[in-house]
């Protein structure tokens, strides 16, 4: 049978929201990871008040950049509104004050996409491919909001495409679609584990990060939004909810690519691997124990997947939440021993009575919620 | 409050000690490092370096 040709960017099915696009694939077409806001390894369903540390990862792969502390709280499914049809989760954001941003302030939520996942787009070359960003959004505010695709470079090699979108009705989900011609200028990471495209939703950045040039590429320039767009942080109690974020090749938005839970989790674990029993459970196993001395023990942890890079941060719960068996040892300190892309080793310190060379397992104890979060985020 | 230590393989880690007893250990490639530099610029002093396990 001969192959046919369909001269269209999108093939729409009879089912609303279900379609195939020009992205050369109907699977893994979405360059966004955790676009449906399903995975939340860092904080579970807990609310987080953001500090002034950048970036701050809350839901997996979504990072906040905030220049001022305590202006935003964020949470998976914050305030329990009903998600759009087909979705179970959203990223919730609430403004904690009526803050008037200074020129150098910035407030945004961003996904930093790894170069390996965008190299085929050819950005920065004459063959740059057009992409379409789509998402569902709801806010207590109405008006013109903004965001950007950029390469997070402020110098001469910087490039930003600032887009605007309208939320006409408060507290109602609206689906937005923005088509962006491929960037033929600027410097973009190729096939590497470095960050390439930054997909940014502006929440109230200051004038230094805003431009009046919208819906076209600006280079050089590092911008997060448009001049005069709605500032979420400018209104105390304002809400901003988002889900169903998809970035795909082509000039039309196609149906959202739903992934199996384990598939999405594994994609996230390339950047963050959380060993965590805070949601419940006792005697959670962290890894193999080997007594180093009478007071110190190694814990050897093979990660769930190969990480993007050697982790650049590891967060431990309080040392007394860990426990080793055999020996029934409790500990007072934890330190990194050695890190790799597939395995990490940490050392628990401050106990007594271990027999050097003996092996066992490191567990959470039976009363506290212990966790270790290995992070290799961009 | 920050402290630091060097592993036996020579890698330097900085430590944020949180109020709940948890700790974040990070390298100079971590996003936390920029916050650490700002903290130093503000005139703060880290705790003495630990000797490592």
């Amino acid at each position: 049978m001969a192959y046919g040709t369909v001269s269209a960017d999108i093939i729409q099915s009879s089912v609303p929201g279900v379609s195939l696009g020009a992205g050369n694939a109907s699977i893994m077409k979405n360059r966004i990871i955790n676009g449906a806001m399903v995975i939340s390894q860092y904080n579970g369903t807990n609310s987080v008040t953001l500090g002034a540390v950048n970036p701050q990862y809350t839901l997996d792969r979504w990072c906040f950049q905030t220049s001022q502390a305590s202006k935003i709280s964020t949470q998976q499914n914050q305030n329990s509104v009903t998600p759009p049809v087909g979705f179970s989760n959203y990223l919730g954001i609430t403004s904690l004050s009526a803050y008037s941003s200074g020129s150098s302030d910035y407030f945004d939520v961003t996904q930093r996409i790894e170069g390996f996942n965008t190299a085929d787009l050819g950005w920065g070359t004459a063959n740059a491919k057009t992409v379409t960003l789509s998402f569902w959004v709801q806010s207590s505010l109405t008006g013109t909001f903004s965001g950007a695709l950029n390469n997070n470079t402020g110098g001469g090699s910087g490039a930003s495409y600032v887009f605007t979108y309208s939320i006409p009705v408060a507290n109602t989900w609206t689906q937005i679609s923005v088509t962006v011609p491929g960037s033929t200028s600027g410097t973009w990471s190729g096939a590497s584990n470095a960050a390439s495209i930054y997909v940014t939703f502006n929440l109230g950045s200051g004038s230094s990060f805003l431009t009046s040039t919208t819906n076209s590429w600006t280079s050089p320039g590092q911008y997060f939004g448009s001049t005069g767009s709605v500032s979420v942080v400018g209104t105390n109690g304002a809400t901003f909810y988002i889900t169903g974020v998809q970035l795909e090749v082509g000039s039309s938005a196609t149906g959202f690519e739903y992934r199996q839970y384990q598939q999405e989790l594994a994609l996230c674990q390339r950047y963050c691997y959380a060993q965590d029993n805070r949601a419940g459970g006792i005697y959670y196993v962290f890894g193999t124990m080997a007594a180093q001395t009478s007071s110190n023990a190694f814990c050897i942890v093979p990660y769930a997947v190969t990480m993007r890079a050697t982790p650049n941060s590891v967060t431990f719960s309080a040392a007394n939440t860990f426990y080793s068996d055999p020996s029934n040892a409790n500990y007072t300190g934890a330190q990194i021993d050695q890190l790799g892309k597939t395995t990490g080793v940490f050392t628990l310190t401050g106990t007594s009575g271990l027999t050097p060379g003996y092996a066992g397992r490191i567990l959470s104890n039976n009363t506290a919620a212990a966790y270790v979060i290995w992070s290799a985020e961009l | 409050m920050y402290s630091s230590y060097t592993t036996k393989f020579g890698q330097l880690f900085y430590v944020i000690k949180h109020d709940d007893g948890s700790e974040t250990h990070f390298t100079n490639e971590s996003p936390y490092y920029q916050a650490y530099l700002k903290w130093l610029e503000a005139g703060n002093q880290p705790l003495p370096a630990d000797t490592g396990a």
Side-chain angles (χ1 to χ4, degrees):
Chain A
M1 175 183 290
Y3 288 104
T5 299
V6 178
S7 298
D9 278 350
I10 185 168
I11 303 169
Q12 183 69 53
S13 84
S14 59
V15 180
V18 176
S19 53
L20 294 176
N24 207 33
S26 59
I27 58 171
M28 300 306 291
K29 66 183 178 183
N30 189 1
R31 309 309 170 97
I32 297 290
I33 295 174
N34 202 23
M37 312 299 179
V38 173
I39 310 297
S40 182
Q41 292 188 87
Y42 286 98
N43 302 294
T45 56
N46 295 324
S47 178
V48 176
T49 297
L50 298 175
V53 177
N54 301 294
Q56 299 164 87
Y57 283 86
T58 57
L59 299 192
D60 280 60
R61 300 301 302 124
W62 291 101
C63 67
F64 285 84
Q65 302 179 121
T66 55
S67 58
Q68 303 290 332
S70 303
K71 303 303 179 191
I72 290 173
S73 73
T74 180
Q75 185 179 14
Q76 186 184 47
N77 294 356
Q78 191 176 52
N79 297 326
S80 301
V81 303
T82 301
V85 172
F87 294 91
S88 301
N89 301 98
Y90 59 90
L91 171 61
I93 294 165
T94 297
S95 170
L96 299 178
S97 68
Y99 182 70
S100 181
S101 296
S103 62
S104 60
D105 278 323
Y106 47 86
F107 298 95
D108 64 71
V109 59
T110 294
Q111 181 151 144
R112 302 174 173 189
I113 305 177
E114 186 177 344
F116 280 128
N117 298 335
T118 58
D120 65 297
L121 302 181
W123 285 23
T125 75
N127 298 316
K129 294 179 181 176
T130 295
V131 298
T132 295
L133 175 69
S134 57
F135 52 95
W136 286 91
V137 65
Q138 175 181 147
S139 177
S140 61
L141 306 174
T142 59
T144 300
F145 292 69
S146 64
L149 274 60
N150 67 55
N151 62 356
N152 195 44
T153 302
S157 56
S160 300
Y161 185 99
V162 170
F163 61 86
T164 61
Y165 59 97
S166 175
I167 299 181
V169 181
N171 303 317
T172 302
W173 288 105
T174 302
Q175 188 175 29
I176 305 296
S177 173
V178 180
T179 296
V180 179
S183 173
T184 56
S185 60
T187 300
W188 299 87
S189 296
S192 78
N193 65 351
S196 59
I197 302 173
Y198 285 53
V199 178
T200 294
F201 299 92
N202 177 42
L203 302 172
S205 296
S207 58
S208 295
F209 298 102
L210 303 177
T211 178
S212 58
T213 302
T214 60
N215 302 319
S216 65
W217 282 101
T218 300
S219 182
Q222 182 190 17
Y223 298 108
F224 303 148
S226 70
T227 305
S229 59
V230 172
S231 170
V232 176
V233 298
T235 300
N236 188 25
T239 58
F240 182 90
Y241 306 141
I242 187 167
T243 193
V245 185
Q246 179 157 281
L247 182 71
E248 61 189 306
V249 171
S251 56
S252 298
T254 64
F256 185 80
E257 180 194 355
Y258 296 99
R259 297 177 183 137
Q260 292 186 13
Y261 181 87
Q262 180 55 43
Q263 184 184 27
E264 196 80 62
L265 176 61
L267 292 173
C268 292
Q269 286 174 327
R270 177 171 171 79
Y271 308 89
C272 170
Y273 174 44
Q275 298 180 283
D276 188 355
N277 76 331
R278 284 175 291 183
I282 58 175
Y283 301 124
Y284 177 99
V285 178
F286 286 91
T288 302
M289 182 271 279
Q292 181 183 18
T293 67
S294 62
S295 60
N296 296 352
F298 292 127
C299 183
I300 304 162
V301 181
Y303 311 137
V305 304
T306 300
M307 300 196 79
R308 181 191 66 85
T310 298
N312 55 43
S313 74
V314 183
T315 298
F316 300 100
S317 56
N320 62 8
T321 62
F322 297 99
Y323 164 85
S324 62
D325 179 63
S327 75
N328 300 330
N330 291 297
Y331 297 88
T332 61
Q335 288 193 347
I336 302 296
D337 179 75
Q338 193 174 11
L339 296 177
K341 291 172 67 174
T342 61
T343 305
V345 182
F346 64 91
T347 302
L348 294 171
T349 62
T351 191
S352 62
L354 298 177
T355 301
Y358 273 34
R361 54 204 163 140
I362 297 294
L363 312 161
S364 63
N365 67 28
N366 64 351
T367 58
Y371 57 90
V372 181
I373 298 174
W374 312 79
S375 176
E377 295 284 5
L378 288 161
Chain B
M1 180 58 73
Y2 291 91
S3 63
S4 65
Y5 65 93
T6 302
T7 70
K8 64 182 177 184
F9 299 105
Q11 188 167 16
L12 175 61
F13 282 90
Y14 304 90
V15 180
I16 306 169
K17 296 179 183 295
H18 304 289
D19 292 341
D20 64 356
S22 62
E23 296 181 346
T24 299
H25 299 221
F26 62 95
T27 70
N28 59 8
E29 294 183 354
S30 165
Y32 294 110
Y33 185 65
Q34 295 304 316
Y36 173 67
L37 294 180
K38 286 185 178 179
W39 184 80
L40 289 179
E41 288 173 2
N44 296 298
Q45 292 292 322
L47 293 171
D50 295 336
T51 56

